[in-house]
Amino acid sequence: MAINSYKQDEMVNDVSKIKTLSRLFSYLLAHRFSILVVLLIMAYCVAVSLINPLIIESAIDDHISVGDYRGLYKLIGIALILNGVMIVLVKARMYIMAKVCNKVLVTIRQQLYTHIQTLDFNFFDSRPTGKILARIIGDINSLKDVLSNSVKTLIPDFITICAVVGIMFVKNAYLAAAALISLPLMIVGVWFIQVRSHKCWQIYRKKSSNLNAFIHEDLSGIRIIQSFTAENETKETFYTLVHEHRQSFMDAVKYADAFGSVVDFCWGLGNVSLWFAGITILGVDKVSVGTLIAFGTYISMFWKPIMNLSSFYNQLITNISGAERIFEILDTKPEIKDSIGVGEMPEIVGTVDFQHVGFSYDENTKVLTDVSFHIRPGETIALVGPTGAGKTTIVNLISRFYDIQEGNIMIDGKDIRSVSIESLRKQMGIMTQDNFLFTGTIRENIAYGKLDATEEEIIAAAKAVHAHDFITKLPNGYDTRLEERGGGLSVGQKQLLAFARTMVSMPKILILDEATSSIDTKTELLVQEGIAALLKGRTSFVIAHRLSTIQKADRIFVIDNGGIIEEGNAEELLAKKGAYYKLYTAQQM
Amino acid sequence: MRKKLSTYIWEYKWYYLFAIVSLIISVSLDMLAPMLTMHIIDDVILGGKVALLPYLLGGILIVGVGRCVFQYTKEYTFDKVGSSIASDMRKNLFNHIQSLSSCFFDKTNTGELMARVKDDIDRVWNTLSYVSMLIIEVIFHTSVVLFCMYRLHASLALVPTAAMIISAFIAVRMEKYLGAIYEDISEENAILNTVAEENLAGVRTVKAFAREKFEIKKFLSHNQRYYELNLKQSKVFVRYYPYFQIITKLLPMLVLLIGGRLVIENVITLGVLGAFLEYANNIVWPMEMLGWLSNDFSAGIASNKKLTKIYEQKPVITEVENPILLDTVKGKIEFSHVSFHKEDLHEILHDITFEAAAGSTIGIMGATGAGKTSVVQLLQRLYDATDGTIYLDGVDIRQLSLKQLRSSISLVMQDVFLFSDTINENVKLGKKAYTNEAIVRKASQDAQASSFIEKMPNEYETIIGERGVGLSGGQKQRISIARAFAKQTPILIMDDSTSALDMETEHEIQKILRTLPNTTKLIIAHRISAVRHADEILVLENGTIAERGTHDTLLAKKGLYYKTYVSQYGDPTTVVQE
């Protein structure tokens, strides 16, 4: 598994733009009624803006020129009503459209977030958090304008262009052709720019994501940075990333800003060719002045929506790379998921079996080879061994954080892949090496283990792990608010809270992965006593290095070289004078 | 360090000037085009002066090309200026945040700060480039059109002038209302970022408890609120926007009405009225645009306000005016009656006094929450002691250069933090310029990390995940120990940093520590084996030193230390001999 860092650009799969676009706009389909209303309103607005010049014309020709006050007032009255209605409708249109767009954004964001929750550790481990965040927040926000402009610009302007071109050809095909002669040039130009700028915008998004990732890491590690006085180094890295970000933007606008220029140039060319064709080739006498003037008007009517469309297209190209990145995550399939038609895990009794389990995180290095063991309900198993030997991997496999490549893992005789992940994990209490506490009160953090835990249950759990004492000493007791990652508490206290959180869920199988490594020995003993009563008869796995933590286990597995090299209780293993004996004596020195 | 927005702008005044000149030329060319068309119709077609045609056509082409060029230079320059200022602002904000003290980060969420450095600056950027470009364009365009109107007929031109003033007035008013909402939106954006950040960072815990649904619901509530705020913004905008529309629709009618009367009364000619109407139509789009611009503008201003708030935070830990810079740091540490409490007044350390001679080893033990880590944080001035004094080589650390103080101490933190970068870069952190390959290798060997690093596909160039994901707890700790070893500082602090190591590895590291006679070592640990060789062992309890002495004297005391010993090894009389 290649790990991406803030320095590297992400790989984004190339998907055809049409596909991305149609997928994006398919979200609008859910609101087709609202959009229909918006389009109807727009039709009215277009009609009124077409009538407005007629009113002015009639006012001048029919009323002002003949001195007809009453007619003038009447006409202006009509105009006022037409425009008044339009204002009300425009207000409605804008509101509906804003609602639709924001709804679509909320939907996409929620969908993305929900999908991310289903993904497995491989996904999270292989990229910095800041890059995932960039997609949930920044990339989605970038779609806002595209969505609202699509309805506002795309459809009406497209219709206008077709109508104008139609009228021009009906009136005088020759002139129309002359006026539109620069159109192919424009299309080629815009196409060229679009291809280049799209690539640049993709890079820009990646750079933006890199920047986000670095900001995230820098802030998360700010204490270590300040402690190592590495501020100048991170500053340099940051400056480089900011520079790359800005440079990628400038590279993109170098092309994107030319959109307008191409259109302007073609407009000029089209105009010249129209007048030239009309006057020189056809001759003034062949084409009526009126037609020429009308064509002049049409040509400006034609270019305006073209300009709008091209700027919309520009915007689309700018932001479509955001959509690509969102859809890419949505298309990432979780590797660990419930297979179709899985059942619920019944209440766990506590038998755990590994049958010839083989596992590797990536294809190259095998972490476990042919591991087999049988654990009876209620047994406490300690896993010891050198760091990186695969202890954590074994417990991760029991909770199905990863899927094995060979063999079977059974709980109570049921293959863990044959039951739903949720029903499995809900019955397990897993304390990982990094105990993450959430912002919120201590009570909320403990109740995370059991959302409907009563006050008594919470306090009982806290007492069992010996956290009650320090909690009650805090200024607000159980209502003390923890900052990010449990800030304000010592690492040992955080471990105790995380322990309480696990205990409140009353797990059927308990997994403690270095759960008490930062707790002093005295407290640790108290914790062990405290949870003994609660966990009576439940299977538990303990990974620890401190002998005092593991000596009481029913069986000790010594893990090394991808498998169990020794097993037995503490006395048996000491008597063996093997690997365990060596570990044991090391600590006595 | 805080610079006003105007200062940033002023620094790029020449670029802005160039951009504005381009803008003026391109708008002027835009206004020239209808005149050329008029000449073609009047002079060439109606007047029959065909000879003029090539010139006029050439003129149209030049207008096209000119607009093509200046439009481009205008947009590109505004983009350049905007992105330059945004980059500068980002850098300054980043530096400011990095200069803040621990107590700021205790209270502020990472997600929120990320939103400030990224999203809020993006919004200000948008305001400085795209929005300000259009505002200038609108102002220029309107001024020219109004000028033409005044030349045609001064009193009739009062009508559009009044319309313009009213629009501007509404825009300012709307900006005020929208500003408040945009501040809320920016705040909610930060919250959304925070919630998502926390979820992603804690994904292992979420999955371990199978709490995905709970998390989704939590996010939904904020997502929903974000939606509502955005809708609220639309509501305000929609409430004001029609005023702009009324004015723009009414303007031609009013001109027609008043102008019509003037024509009937023979004050002006029909031609003048026609021209007037055309100008009125020309002035309409800038006014409508004003509504949109004011909307975008207020978003930028609101974000800028959020940035200002961060700048108001000042670093609490600062250097004195003329800090002392020691020639060489020997590493003698002295705590004299040091007490410490945070804002909640709950006392963490009370009257701590001890001395560590240069090159000696001090072991610190104590129950969870006894204040062990605080001792280290005070020594590094991550916080300042509330009472008493800490000396380094006999000098009060508050008089020392902060940089020198911190860079003479290398710390292995309890909470290992690694960057998503190569192992090499992680080990070098803090002294990248001076740390060569040999030092990295030596430090990794000493930290017992080289064996597993060299098994990795790219060895020292292997990229590790954020916070070291993908590595085991022990591997992370060893890299973090290597990072501290590589600094070769006079003082080394190990804050419970071998807890995830197996005993053999720990033992090896202990041996290495004993070969560093010129390094003062502060070792915080729970395992007796980590501190037993220390020159002095302090046992902390509830923020005070409860016991102190060497391994042997403490064992003889039969107090807290003795109890810990017994629980880890059993009765000392039965211990396996070394």
Side-chain angles (χ1 to χ4, degrees):
Chain A
M1 177 182 60
I3 294 175
N4 182 267
S5 82
Y6 58 81
K7 278 182 183 169
Q8 296 163 305
D9 294 342
E10 298 145 286
M11 301 282 289
V12 175
N13 299 337
D14 260 330
V15 183
S16 85
K17 269 168 268 181
I18 305 285
K19 242 186 183 161
T20 309
L21 280 182
S22 57
R23 190 164 173 190
L24 180 62
F25 292 135
S26 70
Y27 283 93
L28 287 173
L29 278 184
H31 305 277
R32 51 186 170 271
F33 180 71
S34 303
I35 288 174
L36 189 70
V37 172
V38 167
L39 288 178
L40 284 176
I41 292 174
M42 293 192 72
Y44 176 83
C45 296
V46 171
V48 172
S49 26
L50 287 177
I51 292 170
N52 275 339
L54 294 179
I55 288 177
I56 291 173
E57 194 189 325
S58 150
I60 294 175
D61 291 352
D62 305 341
H63 305 291
I64 297 176
S65 51
V66 295
D68 173 14
Y69 279 118
R70 275 196 59 195
L72 182 64
Y73 291 152
K74 214 167 122 189
L75 204 60
I76 287 175
I78 294 169
L80 282 180
I81 291 166
L82 281 176
N83 284 294
V85 172
M86 172 164 142
I87 286 162
V88 174
L89 288 177
V90 164
K91 188 171 167 163
R93 184 203 84 196
M94 287 172 65
Y95 187 67
I96 295 170
M97 211 47 226
K99 207 166 169 166
V100 168
C101 289
N102 282 310
K103 267 229 171 91
V104 168
L105 287 193
V106 159
T107 311
I108 298 180
R109 186 176 278 131
Q110 196 65 31
Q111 202 182 5
L112 183 65
Y113 192 79
T114 306
H115 183 74
I116 287 175
Q117 302 300 317
T118 67
L119 294 175
D120 46 85
F121 287 161
N122 277 334
F123 175 81
F124 298 100
D125 291 355
S126 59
R127 62 198 80 210
T129 311
K131 293 201 179 182
I132 308 176
L133 270 178
R135 301 201 190 196
I136 301 178
I137 309 290
D139 287 338
I140 291 187
N141 281 345
S142 76
L143 299 180
K144 190 174 180 180
D145 292 337
V146 173
L147 284 172
S148 69
N149 286 346
S150 63
V151 177
K152 210 174 77 190
T153 315
L154 198 59
I155 300 169
D157 281 338
F158 191 70
I159 293 171
T160 313
I161 291 173
C162 292
V164 170
V165 171
I167 294 171
M168 281 162 85
F169 272 96
V170 169
K171 284 213 153 187
N172 188 322
Y174 191 78
L175 277 183
L180 300 181
I181 201 161
S182 60
L183 202 58
L185 183 68
M186 193 199 82
I187 290 170
V188 170
V190 164
W191 180 257
F192 172 75
I193 292 168
Q194 173 274 123
V195 170
R196 301 303 290 267
S197 79
H198 177 62
K199 286 245 157 57
C200 293
W201 288 122
Q202 279 180 328
I203 297 171
Y204 170 71
R205 287 264 146 222
K206 287 176 190 170
K207 296 292 178 199
S208 180
S209 172
N210 290 354
L211 190 62
N212 216 35
F214 185 74
I215 298 170
H216 179 253
E217 280 195 38
D218 183 86
L219 293 171
S220 311
I222 187 76
R223 284 177 179 80
I224 205 85
I225 289 165
Q226 292 188 336
S227 163
F228 278 98
T229 55
E231 289 99 333
N232 278 328
E233 287 170 12
T234 50
K235 184 174 116 181
E236 266 168 41
T237 313
F238 184 74
Y239 280 19
T240 314
L241 291 173
V242 167
H243 176 76
E244 281 177 5
H245 180 238
R246 174 173 175 270
Q247 199 52 49
S248 65
F249 174 78
M250 291 314 294
D251 285 344
V253 295
K254 194 166 70 193
Y255 296 108
D257 285 347
F259 259 98
S261 295
V262 168
V263 176
D264 271 328
F265 180 73
C266 295
W267 163 88
L269 210 61
N271 243 351
V272 169
S273 120
L274 168 77
W275 295 116
F276 184 74
I279 296 165
T280 317
I281 301 174
L282 288 182
V284 182
D285 36 335
K286 285 223 183 93
V287 188
S288 79
V289 178
T291 310
L292 266 178
I293 294 177
F295 257 80
T297 319
Y298 283 126
I299 210 166
S300 65
M301 271 178 84
F302 171 75
W303 282 103
K304 185 136 184 16
I306 290 267
M307 284 177 190
N308 285 341
L309 274 183
S310 81
S311 85
F312 169 71
Y313 189 56
N314 192 4
Q315 193 182 37
L316 202 64
I317 294 302
T318 310
N319 294 311
I320 194 176
S321 42
E324 283 167 5
R325 294 160 57 83
I326 294 162
F327 293 143
E328 193 200 36
I329 291 195
L330 283 177
D331 290 341
T332 307
K333 295 268 173 293
E335 279 169 38
I336 294 165
K337 56 174 182 222
D338 294 338
S339 35
I340 302 149
V342 287
E344 297 282 293
M345 184 77 202
E347 203 174 301
I348 293 177
V349 181
T351 318
V352 179
D353 282 290
F354 267 51
Q355 297 168 343
H356 308 288
V357 171
F359 175 73
S360 63
Y361 289 99
D362 51 43
E363 276 110 56
N364 309 321
T365 36
K366 210 132 198 218
V367 184
L368 298 179
T369 21
D370 195 25
V371 174
S372 298
F373 56 76
H374 171 78
I375 287 156
R376 291 177 294 275
E379 262 192 305
T380 299
I381 304 294
L383 303 174
V384 298
T387 44
K391 305 181 297 281
T392 302
T393 308
I394 291 182
V395 294
N396 274 345
L397 293 180
I398 300 173
S399 9
R400 216 186 147 199
F401 284 139
Y402 300 92
D403 270 343
I404 48 175
Q405 286 94 17
E406 293 157 29
N408 297 303
I409 296 174
M410 325 276 265
I411 290 180
D412 291 350
K414 261 182 154 11
D415 190 315
I416 56 170
R417 282 167 296 196
S418 70
V419 294
S420 83
I421 298 170
E422 196 184 349
S423 69
L424 174 73
R425 290 195 192 145
K426 273 206 163 152
Q427 300 190 55
M428 322 223 347
I430 308 150
M431 263 192 81
T432 50
Q433 284 175 354
D434 36 0
N435 292 295
F436 193 91
L437 296 178
F438 294 89
T439 356
T441 64
I442 287 185
R443 177 180 290 106
E444 283 163 5
N445 266 292
I446 297 178
Y448 199 82
K450 188 184 178 199
L451 294 178
D452 56 353
T454 62
E455 186 73 18
E456 287 75 36
E457 285 175 311
I458 289 172
I459 293 176
K463 277 187 173 158
V465 302
H466 211 68
H468 183 72
D469 285 353
F470 90 81
I471 295 172
T472 45
K473 270 186 211 148
L474 293 172
N476 294 313
Y478 282 86
D479 291 315
T480 307
R481 241 189 108 68
L482 298 182
E483 297 305 332
E484 208 168 44
R485 284 177 178 259
L489 296 179
S490 80
V491 178
Q493 287 169 334
K494 281 187 236 173
Q495 276 194 344
L496 290 181
L497 276 191
F499 213 147
R501 174 173 70 188
T502 306
M503 289 314 298
V504 85
S505 68
M506 288 304 283
K508 300 292 185 290
I509 294 178
L510 181 69
I511 294 172
L512 302 176
D513 187 356
E514 312 249 12
T516 50
S517 62
S518 299
I519 299 170
D520 61 294
T521 318
K522 188 180 143 200
T523 313
E524 193 194 358
L525 284 177
L526 291 170
V527 171
Q528 282 177 355
E529 281 166 30
I531 62 169
L534 283 176
L535 288 176
K536 215 167 169 204
R538 289 168 207 249
T539 309
S540 47
F541 292 85
V542 179
I543 298 177
H545 291 297
R546 234 184 278 167
L547 286 178
S548 49
T549 318
I550 55 183
Q551 267 161 342
K552 283 180 193 146
D554 295 317
R555 272 194 287 168
I556 299 170
F557 291 176
V558 183
I559 315 285
D560 204 356
N561 297 325
I564 301 171
I565 54 169
E566 266 180 38
E567 99 167 75
N569 65 30
E571 280 161 33
E572 288 164 15
L573 289 178
L574 271 186
K576 238 185 192 173
K577 301 227 169 190
Y580 179 77
Y581 179 80
K582 255 176 81 189
L583 288 173
Y584 182 82
T585 44
Q587 199 162 118
Q588 304 293 351
M589 279 184 266
Chain B
M1 271 299 276
R2 182 181 176 239
K3 281 202 276 183
K4 277 193 164 170
L5 218 48
S6 51
T7 324
Y8 286 107
I9 295 172
W10 188 245
E11 279 169 12
Y12 289 92
K13 52 182 179 292
W14 299 115
Y15 283 99
Y16 267 111
L17 190 70
F18 179 69
I20 291 169
V21 170
S22 302
L23 184 151
I24 289 173
I25 296 174
S26 112
V27 172
S28 309
L29 285 173
D30 203 11
M31 292 187 180
L32 210 62
M35 304 232 286
L36 289 171
T37 316
M38 199 179 80
H39 278 295
I40 291 182
I41 295 170
D42 289 354
D43 298 345
V44 180
I45 301 174
L46 300 175
K49 295 179 201 156
V50 184
L52 276 179
L53 187 66
Y55 298 105
L56 289 170
L57 289 185
I60 290 182
L61 203 61
I62 288 168
V63 167
V65 171
R67 281 199 358 140
C68 161
V69 170
F70 288 103
Q71 191 86 305
Y72 185 79
T73 54
K74 169 193 86 178
E75 285 192 24
Y76 189 75
T77 316
F78 268 107
D79 279 334
K80 198 178 168 74
V81 179
S83 64
S84 299
I85 294 181
S87 296
D88 290 353
M89 288 181 79
R90 239 194 269 283
K91 288 175 185 172
N92 281 335
L93 185 65
F94 182 82
N95 287 336
H96 176 74
I97 290 177
Q98 282 213 133
S99 77
L100 292 173
S101 314
S102 292
C103 55
F104 171 76
F105 297 104
D106 288 345
K107 287 179 300 198
T108 318
N109 288 320
T110 311
E112 181 193 333
L113 288 176
M114 281 179 78
R116 300 287 171 251
V117 181
K118 197 72 214 320
D119 303 339
D120 282 316
I121 288 192
D122 279 348
R123 253 171 251 143
V124 175
W125 173 0
N126 184 39
T127 307
L128 289 178
S129 55
Y130 170 74
V131 176
S132 52
M133 175 180 88
L134 285 174
I135 288 180
I136 295 170
E137 196 163 333
V138 161
I139 291 173
F140 179 68
H141 189 101
T142 324
S143 315
V144 171
V145 174
L146 278 180
F147 175 73
C148 295
M149 288 173 122
Y150 272 98
R151 282 198 44 187
L152 272 178
H153 193 264
S155 47
L156 192 53
L158 284 176
V159 179
T161 311
M164 211 55 223
I165 290 169
I166 295 170
S167 307
F169 178 73
I170 296 171
V172 170
R173 221 181 130 75
M174 184 175 83
E175 194 276 322
K176 219 174 75 189
Y177 278 97
L178 282 175
I181 296 174
Y182 271 116
E183 274 184 59
D184 288 345
I185 289 180
S186 148
E187 201 57 54
E188 195 58 36
N189 182 59
I191 293 174
L192 212 54
N193 216 358
T194 304
V195 172
E197 192 270 337
E198 207 172 26
N199 170 274
L200 296 174
V203 66
R204 274 153 210 284
T205 304
V206 173
K207 296 227 174 255
F209 285 96
R211 283 282 172 268
E212 289 91 344
K213 283 178 192 151
F214 174 79
E215 293 291 316
I216 290 167
K217 234 190 260 166
K218 186 159 85 185
F219 187 75
L220 182 65
S221 68
H222 288 287
N223 200 4
Q224 192 64 31
R225 192 173 139 66
Y226 190 64
Y227 162 76
E228 276 156 18
L229 282 172
N230 273 298
L231 211 57
K232 200 168 150 194
Q233 174 267 326
S234 301
K235 262 186 197 160
V236 172
F237 186 55
V238 165
R239 187 161 74 225
Y240 280 95
Y241 191 69
Y243 293 116
F244 293 103
Q245 279 218 311
I246 291 174
I247 293 166
T248 54
K249 296 293 168 210
L250 221 54
L251 183 62
M253 303 295 160
L254 267 178
V255 169
L256 192 63
L257 191 69
I258 298 168
R261 286 191 66 126
L262 290 175
V263 172
I264 294 168
E265 282 155 20
N266 277 328
V267 182
I268 56 172
T269 66
L270 204 55
V272 171
L273 179 62
F276 230 96
L277 281 170
E278 210 170 322
Y279 281 129
N281 275 330
N282 237 315
I283 211 173
V284 158
W285 74 261
M287 273 198 256
E288 278 205 47
M289 192 69 121
L290 210 57
W292 291 103
L293 290 177
S294 153
N295 179 41
D296 285 354
F297 190 73
S298 52
I301 296 296
S303 285
N304 194 45
K305 270 192 194 160
K306 294 282 167 196
L307 299 182
T308 312
K309 277 210 181 109
I310 294 185
Y311 277 110
E312 280 165 8
Q313 298 284 339
K314 293 278 171 277
V316 182
I317 311 272
T318 48
E319 286 184 342
V320 290
E321 219 159 279
N322 294 306
I324 299 170
L325 200 65
L326 299 170
D327 291 335
T328 49
V329 178
K330 295 197 181 62
K332 186 181 148 205
I333 302 164
E334 213 183 320
F335 272 59
S336 164
H337 305 288
V338 171
S339 298
F340 174 57
H341 61 76
K342 286 192 188 167
E343 274 169 12
D344 60 8
L345 300 177
H346 173 73
E347 197 161 53
I348 297 168
L349 290 176
H350 180 74
D351 197 23
I352 301 287
T353 302
F354 71 89
E355 204 185 305
S360 67
T361 304
I362 298 285
I364 302 178
M365 294 191 84
T368 304
K372 303 182 295 291
T373 300
S374 299
V375 171
V376 174
Q377 289 176 332
L378 293 185
L379 180 60
Q380 277 223 321
R381 281 196 82 197
L382 291 175
Y383 298 91
D384 267 343
T386 32
D387 247 316
T389 320
I390 302 168
Y391 301 95
L392 174 65
D393 287 357
V395 183
D396 185 341
I397 56 168
R398 282 168 296 193
Q399 303 296 322
L400 280 174
S401 134
L402 197 58
K403 171 122 184 138
Q404 190 183 34
L405 172 73
R406 288 188 183 160
S407 57
S408 16
I409 303 171
S410 26
L411 170 68
V412 189
M413 282 194 186
Q414 209 173 0
D415 227 349
V416 177
F417 190 92
L418 298 172
F419 292 88
S420 71
D421 204 337
T422 61
I423 292 177
N424 198 13
E425 293 292 308
N426 266 293
V427 173
K428 284 180 174 175
L429 180 85
K431 266 192 181 171
K432 284 196 179 158
Y434 311 100
T435 317
N436 58 33
E437 199 78 349
I439 298 177
V440 171
R441 278 173 190 271
K442 173 78 172 58
S444 308
Q445 262 160 24
D446 287 349
Q448 310 301 315
S450 54
S451 53
F452 77 84
I453 293 173
E454 281 157 20
K455 269 187 217 150
M456 292 178 157
N458 297 314
E459 300 200 0
Y460 291 89
E461 295 306 317
T462 308
I463 291 175
I464 51 181
E466 199 174 46
R467 282 179 188 266
V469 285
L471 298 176
S472 79
Q475 290 173 331
K476 280 188 263 185
Q477 274 189 344
R478 281 183 280 174
I479 294 180
S480 126
I481 293 169
R483 176 167 68 189
F485 280 172
K487 301 295 118 48
Q488 303 172 329
T489 53
I491 299 169
L492 174 69
I493 303 177
M494 313 260 291
D495 185 358
D496 196 12
S497 47
T498 50
S499 61
L501 299 184
D502 59 88
M503 299 148 219
E504 260 178 298
T505 313
E506 194 201 3
H507 184 65
E508 290 303 316
I509 292 174
Q510 303 295 344
K511 274 205 280 193
I512 299 290
L513 286 180
R514 272 176 259 152
T515 64
L516 303 170
N518 297 321
T519 308
T520 313
K521 292 152 293 249
L522 242 58
I523 298 175
I524 299 177
H526 291 301
R527 278 191 235 167
I528 295 279
S529 56
V531 295
R532 64 185 298 168
H533 296 285
D535 295 302
E536 189 179 28
I537 300 165
L538 311 174
V539 182
L540 294 185
E541 195 176 43
N542 294 326
T544 58
I545 298 177
E547 276 176 30
R548 61 199 304 167
T550 61
H551 176 72
D552 295 328
T553 55
L554 284 175
L555 273 190
K557 238 184 197 167
K558 303 228 166 193
L560 293 165
Y561 185 82
Y562 175 78
K563 276 190 200 156
T564 311
Y565 187 90
V566 172
S567 59
Q568 287 184 19
Y569 297 106
D571 200 313
T573 49
T574 64
V575 84
V576 182
Q577 284 306 304
E578 283 178 37

